Amino acid sequence: MPSINENFLKLEKNYLFINIAKKVNAYKEANPDADIIRMGIGDVTQPIAKCVVDAMKKGADEMGVKETFKGYEDSGTGYDFLKEAVSGYYNSFGVTVSPDEIRINDGAKADCGNIVDIFGDDNVVLITDPAYPVYVDTNLMNGRTVIYADSNEENGFAAMPDESVHADLIYLCSPNNPTGSAYTASQLKTWIDYALKNKAIIIYDAAYEAFITEDIPRSIFAVEGARQCAIEMCSLSKTAGFTGMRCGYTVIPKELSVIASNGTEVSISDLWGRREGSKFNGVSYPVQCAAAAVFSEEGLKQTKENIKYYQQNAKVISAALDELGIKYTGGKNSPYIWLKCPNGMGSWEFFDKLLNEANVVGTPGAGFGKNGEGWFRLTAFGDAERTKEAMERFKKMKF
Ligand code: PLP
């Protein structure tokens, strides 16, 4: 009988969305006519831009023709045409990243989770709390020590480093899921200086960069020093509606390296390349054609329309909360609005109240870490009319 990785037994059960579904189903059973509006799940709802779908169809057609058929991709790190398109996209907001520093993947979740393969299990991992659960879970699966930096009301849900604490790997997500907050350049510089001082590596999740409206960095590489200490992960899921298509990219600067125990300097890019060479065979050609079309002039124009649609929803949610005097972060640079449950209510208590009194479903903040207790996440990814309706119901509630 094989033994198992017993670290899996120590993981918390993934109860958050199961519990939500259970509660919603029970409510629906008791109230079959209730018109429930879901503002909990972080999935997009708008269809993919036409020019992107056309590019995917063209790619699929090429697969059916002998002369243009594609088998395994040579490198497995993405076709040059897509890496060049991503590099051009970075250039458009003033960041220089060369195509050979870009790895195309099947979404940011996989790389966020798999990157742990190339680091030793003796590393101390620092994660901001609350957080996207993948960072914590994948490190606990390897038995690593995880320490937390608190994101809370006092610091505007923008955790900063504690200089007295050492970390080897640091996870930052900006704009943040779940809190919607986003780091300024000077805050990122503080994290970069901390990482350089500790010889640590920052794993920077920029999955929501396309939602930034203020003058803050869309990439950690916009800030000096990041190339020496950071890896960036990004995704087309929320930028271009690719949650069902699966495509993202990871950027590893050429100069990023560590010293191995035998004293040799090891390139992180080479190490990740070695890992990918053994465990990953690339993203399908039609999907890469679609992804490249996202970064074309027309693609950017059409996908921006969808983002604007969600941003308008975020404005509607924010305006209602302003009217009610409810505190929140997010909404401006993010599709998430992170609100303080009124009257000191707990996250689940507020969930029940919202479901029962307004038939609106959100996500209890407690599901994202200890600092999420007493907070609640609403998403702007829904239908515009339904979002307005939800907030009208919200306004009629008695707190
Ligand atoms: N990173 C964050 C912070 C996310 O919220 C998500 C998805 O919700 C992802 C990464 C994963 O995105 P993908 O669909 O590219 O795997």
Side-chain angles (χ1 to χ4, degrees), residues 97-111:
V97 166
S98 72
D100 59 355
E101 293 176 312
I102 296 163
R103 316 288 176 111
I104 305 302
N105 59 38
D106 56 355
K109 187 176 194 170
D111 276 16

Side-chain angles (χ1 to χ4, degrees), residues 42 107-109 112 132 135 173 177 205 207-208 235 237-238 246 336:
K109 187 176 194 170
C112 279
Y132 179 52
Y135 318 143
C173 175
N177 178 14
D205 186 340
Y208 297 94
S235 166
S237 281
K238 311 299 160 74
R246 311 308 307 142
Y336 298 121

Side-chain angles (χ1 to χ4, degrees), residues 176-381:
N176 191 273
N177 178 14
T179 71
S181 65
Y183 282 120
T184 62
S186 91
Q187 286 171 326
L188 283 180
K189 183 78 180 95
T190 304
W191 275 109
I192 289 166
D193 290 344
Y194 169 82
L196 292 172
K197 198 173 120 202
N198 283 274
K199 297 188 171 26
I201 289 183
I202 296 174
I203 297 163
Y204 190 76
D205 186 340
Y208 297 94
E209 61 76 21
F211 287 81
I212 289 177
T213 59
E214 293 179 317
D215 186 18
I216 54 173
R218 307 239 327 235
S219 160
I220 194 165
F221 299 122
V223 185
E224 200 202 327
R227 288 185 62 88
Q228 279 71 42
C229 66
I231 296 172
E232 181 160 290
M233 304 197 167
C234 208
S235 166
L236 291 178
S237 281
K238 311 299 160 74
T239 302
F242 269 46
T243 49
M245 293 271 277
R246 311 308 307 142
C247 195
Y249 45 94
T250 292
V251 178
I252 307 182
K254 282 180 201 136
E255 51 266 63
L256 190 64
S257 66
V258 292
I259 306 295
S261 60
N262 65 5
T264 56
E265 186 172 356
V266 178
S267 147
I268 292 295
S269 173
D270 289 352
L271 211 55
W272 180 241
R274 186 68 189 81
R275 189 268 176 207
E276 292 292 78
S278 291
K279 294 197 183 184
F280 185 61
N281 251 344
V283 176
S284 82
Y285 176 69
V287 168
Q288 292 199 53
C289 292
V294 168
F295 300 110
S296 66
E297 202 181 325
E298 185 56 25
L300 288 172
K301 204 173 109 203
Q302 289 184 19
T303 50
K304 215 170 254 171
E305 286 307 308
N306 282 354
I307 289 174
K308 271 196 205 145
Y309 179 94
Y310 300 133
Q311 284 170 332
Q312 183 51 37
N313 285 345
K315 277 190 190 148
V316 168
I317 298 169
S318 304
L321 297 178
D322 284 338
E323 214 177 303
L324 289 162
I326 294 176
K327 235 182 160 173
Y328 63 92
T329 55
K332 269 197 191 119
N333 300 304
S334 154
Y336 298 121
I337 286 94
W338 180 248
L339 65 98
K340 187 174 185 176
C341 302
N343 302 329
M345 262 184 268
S347 295
W348 281 104
E349 194 186 346
F350 185 65
F351 174 92
D352 290 335
K353 185 175 169 70
L354 201 58
L355 176 61
N356 285 300
E357 294 179 21
N359 294 171
V360 172
V361 180
T363 312
F368 298 99
K370 80 170 167 58
N371 289 302
E373 181 51 277
W375 292 75
F376 199 79
R377 191 189 76 174
L378 292 177
T379 92
F381 284 129

Side-chain angles (χ1 to χ4, degrees), residues 19-32 36 355:
N19 273 353
I20 291 175
K22 261 193 205 154
K23 278 176 179 276
V24 173
N25 288 340
Y27 185 83
K28 263 169 55 184
E29 224 162 83
N31 305 276
I36 292 174
L355 176 61

